[in-house]
Amino acid sequence: MQDTFIKAVDVLRSGKYNDEGKFLPWVLRIAHNMAIDYFRRDKRYPNVVFEDGSSVFNTLDFAEDSYEDLQIREESHAHLRDLIKRLPDTQREVLVMRHYEDMSFQEIADATGVSINTALGRMRYALINLRKMMSKHSPSYDTNLYAA
């Protein structure tokens, strides 16, 4: 009902309402169409449930990644690893501890013997430097390959 009201108000505000017909049948038609749309969407995506009550969508992968997707992901990860190796030691250390060892910034600060603000700053600069390097050294395709 609320969606119908919002839709009607939007049409009225936009000036698209035609005064020739009666208002109530027009609003009822909006509600009717929205109800049909709702049930069509619901029917399009049925909820499949196992006997134990769990949903099939929580247990299955419906599409495997293609070989191309896997190759692109691996190349991207290798490129990122190379860029991480280029970071200054202190920045690389904090980045590795945070993202790969899942340490908190307090744990990083304690392990490296610096304040938590210093650890946060090093992480910030590591991310800034990675972004700069990624924009400069992004892998590109051979432009001559597509030349006519």
Side-chain angles (χ1 to χ4, degrees):
M1 189 166 162
Q2 290 174 350
D3 292 337
T4 302
F5 178 75
I6 291 170
K7 180 103 172 172
V9 168
D10 287 342
V11 171
L12 289 170
R13 281 188 179 166
S14 68
K16 294 179 183 176
Y17 175 69
N18 186 356
D19 288 335
E20 294 173 10
K22 293 193 178 191
F23 184 76
L24 183 60
W26 175 72
V27 172
L28 290 174
R29 177 49 64 183
I30 292 174
H32 178 262
N33 290 341
M34 291 186 82
I36 288 173
D37 289 346
Y38 172 81
F39 286 112
R40 281 184 183 154
R41 260 191 314 263
D42 194 41
K43 189 176 180 182
R44 191 176 310 145
Y45 304 109
N47 190 11
V48 180
V49 180
F50 291 121
E51 287 125 14
D52 65 354
S54 64
S55 173
V56 70
F57 295 113
N58 292 336
T59 58
L60 298 175
D61 260 341
F62 285 100
E64 294 181 9
D65 289 338
S66 69
Y67 179 74
E68 181 182 15
D69 291 337
L70 294 172
Q71 185 68 30
I72 290 170
R73 185 178 306 124
E74 181 54 40
E75 287 175 7
S76 297
H77 289 177
H79 181 64
L80 181 60
R81 283 191 297 272
D82 289 340
L83 294 178
I84 290 172
K85 288 177 186 175
R86 296 181 192 175
L87 288 172
D89 293 339
T90 55
Q91 293 174 15
R92 183 177 54 249
E93 180 182 39
V94 171
L95 183 94
V96 168
M97 288 179 170
R98 180 70 178 149
H99 285 288
Y100 296 105
E101 296 176 18
D102 203 28
M103 295 174 70
S104 71
F105 283 107
Q106 185 61 57
E107 292 169 332
I108 294 169
D110 293 341
T112 57
V114 298
S115 72
I116 192 167
N117 286 335
T118 301
L120 287 165
R122 288 177 180 175
M123 179 61 137
R124 179 176 177 267
Y125 286 117
L127 294 174
I128 288 170
N129 287 333
L130 277 176
R131 285 186 191 112
K132 285 180 185 176
M133 288 189 286
M134 286 176 136
S135 66
K136 288 180 185 175
H137 302 288
S138 64
S140 59
Y141 63 90
D142 183 4
T143 56
N144 295 326
L145 182 67
Y146 298 105

